[in-house]
Amino acid sequence: MQIGLVGLPRSGKTTFFNLLTGANAPTGFAATGEIHHGSAAVPDSRIDFLTGLYRPRKTVYARIDFEDIPGTYPQGGAARAARLLDEARGADALVQVIPAFSGAGEKGPGEQLSPYRDLLDFYSELILADLDAVEKRLERLRSNPKGKNNTAARIAVLERLRETLEQERPAAALPLGDDERQLLSGQIFLSEKPLIAALNLDEQKLTVHDYPGRSRVLKYTAERGIPVIEICARIEAEIGELPPADRDAFLADLGLEESGLDRLARTAYERLGLISFFTVGPDEVRAWTIRRGATARQAAGKIHSDIERGFIRAEIFQYAALARLGSVARVREAGLFRLEGKNYPVQDGDIIDFRFNV
Ligand SMILES: Nc1nc2c(ncn2[C@@H]2O[C@H](COP(=O)(O)OP(=O)(O)O)[C@@H](O)[C@H]2O)c(=O)[nH]1
Ligand SMILES: [Mg+2]
């Protein structure tokens, strides 16, 4: 999974990126305007438990790749903004980091801190960048009508998209069929990517869960299905540098039970409809990420195409049963091992042993 961190300059993207990935990229005035790439293991206490139980040679957590994309102020020019946003086209989800900490006020000349307006502005920016992309494609098709097959059909789909975007509605509001997608050569638009809003709060505000315009932000995001998380990037990054034993107490002081990475990972999995299944053994305990509803055979394909092709059946038990009963032998005694066929929809927390021949 890849997540793009986006938003205004000095909103705390790089600070958050450092917190998520353990990187040490320059922030504030030291920033160079470069894009940063990094990744993080998805925290999962179930994997910790399984590692304690199986004592494998290797433990592999699921991973999220992060891309920290520098922002521009609106007055920085639409072209530069669009070019930077272009970098986000490969991401599975976007996280808009919204500054809501005091001192974040000096953004543009004479501008006040307004998380709500930032949210709106950014949403329009995504739509405008898409509109720009659609218009460029239309132009190309029209100037070279013989260049590709189905030119008329391509133009028709793009025209519908343009109409939607011109009404300031996101591309996500125009559901496209598979053949229409194909006409667009599978292009995914920014305004149809899942968006998560990360409000970057002051330490004090995090404890009281407040910032200017909070109720409007919550109403707007709820209406559009945009999940919201609250972070305090700077303080959380500082806590992340403490010895692990001390971190929990400091997080608890801020009213946080989970780290910023925990909260973002959980929110992204939910928003993207992702679940985890596990494979276990003396060699390796490992978490795998699949879409909710994926079948046992598709899950096998995640591990290796040979296992998918030669799939016979899957031997499955639930993590929750193992955690409750304490040993695999007791899970077996309790009759909680199941054999499932290729169409079984894998559940979050399934521990799976695939039987296959090649
Ligand atoms: N008070 C406070 N300052 C923060 C917070 N997060 C970031 N900052 C500061 O805001 C400035 C811009 O942060 P940076 O991560 O470089 O923002 P970016 O331009 O979006 O990458 C830096 O000086 C940070 O130290 C926060 O949660 N609270
Ligand atoms: Mg930065």
Side-chain angles (χ1 to χ4, degrees):
M1 186 197 332
Q2 190 178 323
I3 289 184
L5 300 176
V6 289
L8 288 170
R10 300 187 45 79
S11 55
K13 294 180 297 298
T14 304
T15 308
F16 192 34
F17 172 82
N18 287 342
L19 160 70
L20 294 168
T21 63
N24 196 10
T27 60
F29 291 116
T32 55
E34 269 173 75
I35 295 173
H36 307 117
H37 295 271
S39 82
V42 177
D44 191 335
S45 59
R46 299 172 298 183
I47 286 289
D48 302 334
F49 178 90
L50 292 171
T51 298
L53 197 66
Y54 285 89
R55 310 218 157 272
R57 275 184 276 280
K58 199 168 136 205
T59 295
V60 184
Y61 291 81
R63 296 195 77 83
I64 300 180
D65 296 323
F66 291 100
E67 197 179 16
D68 169 26
I69 302 167
T72 52
Y73 294 113
Q75 57 269 42
R80 180 173 151 73
R83 191 154 43 76
L84 282 168
L85 275 175
D86 238 11
E87 299 293 335
R89 291 197 190 271
D92 299 299
L94 302 177
V95 173
Q96 182 193 357
V97 179
I98 302 176
F101 53 90
S102 45
E106 353 79 59
K107 297 189 311 172
E111 296 205 23
Q112 290 298 310
L113 183 64
S114 172
Y116 177 67
R117 193 203 46 224
D118 289 349
L119 185 65
L120 261 57
D121 283 354
F122 184 70
Y123 211 65
S124 327
E125 202 177 313
L126 293 180
I127 291 174
L128 280 177
D130 284 346
L131 188 57
D132 192 49
V134 165
E135 275 167 354
K136 285 213 180 88
R137 270 187 95 150
L138 275 169
E139 228 168 85
R140 267 202 308 275
L141 281 170
R142 290 202 167 112
S143 66
N144 185 15
K146 300 244 155 55
K148 267 188 174 171
N149 298 329
N150 299 321
T151 301
R154 280 173 207 274
I155 289 180
V157 181
L158 287 165
E159 288 284 9
R160 279 172 58 213
L161 258 169
R162 180 166 73 177
E163 228 170 86
T164 305
L165 296 165
E166 274 174 352
Q167 292 161 8
E168 290 178 42
R169 291 161 64 220
L174 181 74
L176 295 174
D178 285 347
D179 28 338
E180 289 172 312
R181 281 254 172 246
Q182 222 155 27
L183 286 171
L184 298 175
S185 323
Q187 179 168 2
I188 307 284
F189 292 93
L190 289 168
S191 64
E192 63 181 324
K193 277 189 200 292
L195 183 65
I196 296 168
L199 274 298
N200 193 11
L201 270 58
D202 265 337
E203 183 181 8
Q204 304 85 333
K205 301 232 182 76
L206 192 56
T207 327
V208 296
H209 299 282
D210 195 23
Y211 49 86
R214 181 169 192 257
S215 58
R216 279 198 296 173
V217 166
L218 292 183
K219 180 162 181 288
Y220 183 86
T221 49
E223 282 166 3
R224 283 160 188 80
I226 301 172
V228 177
I229 60 171
E230 291 174 354
I231 59 171
C232 183
R234 185 145 81 182
I235 286 120
E236 288 189 76
E238 281 166 16
I239 292 173
E241 284 165 14
L242 296 173
D246 297 344
R247 283 179 209 163
D248 285 353
F250 277 90
L251 282 173
D253 266 357
L254 290 173
L256 298 174
E257 276 138 41
E258 297 177 307
S259 72
L261 176 57
D262 271 303
R263 300 196 304 282
L264 178 56
R266 193 165 35 70
T267 306
Y269 270 63
E270 262 165 41
R271 178 62 186 82
L272 294 171
L274 300 174
I275 58 171
S276 304
F277 73 90
F278 308 120
T279 52
V280 296
D283 281 333
E284 186 181 87
V285 161
R286 181 162 184 162
W288 303 85
T289 305
I290 50 170
R291 296 214 167 266
R292 188 178 293 286
T295 63
R297 190 149 184 255
Q298 288 167 332
K302 190 85 199 171
I303 300 175
H304 200 286
S305 56
D306 282 351
I307 311 182
E308 182 172 12
R309 236 178 299 123
F311 183 97
I312 302 170
R313 61 180 175 272
E315 197 176 35
I316 300 180
F317 60 99
Q318 257 288 320
Y319 169 82
L322 180 61
R324 192 174 65 244
L325 298 171
S327 80
V328 176
R330 271 183 236 138
V331 173
R332 205 180 277 282
E333 269 165 38
L336 295 172
F337 263 72
R338 304 188 317 266
L339 283 176
E340 300 286 358
K342 61 178 194 288
N343 294 323
Y344 164 79
V346 172
Q347 307 296 306
D348 188 47
D350 275 348
I351 297 174
I352 309 185
D353 187 11
F354 291 102
R355 301 297 159 80
F356 64 103
N357 60 34
V358 283

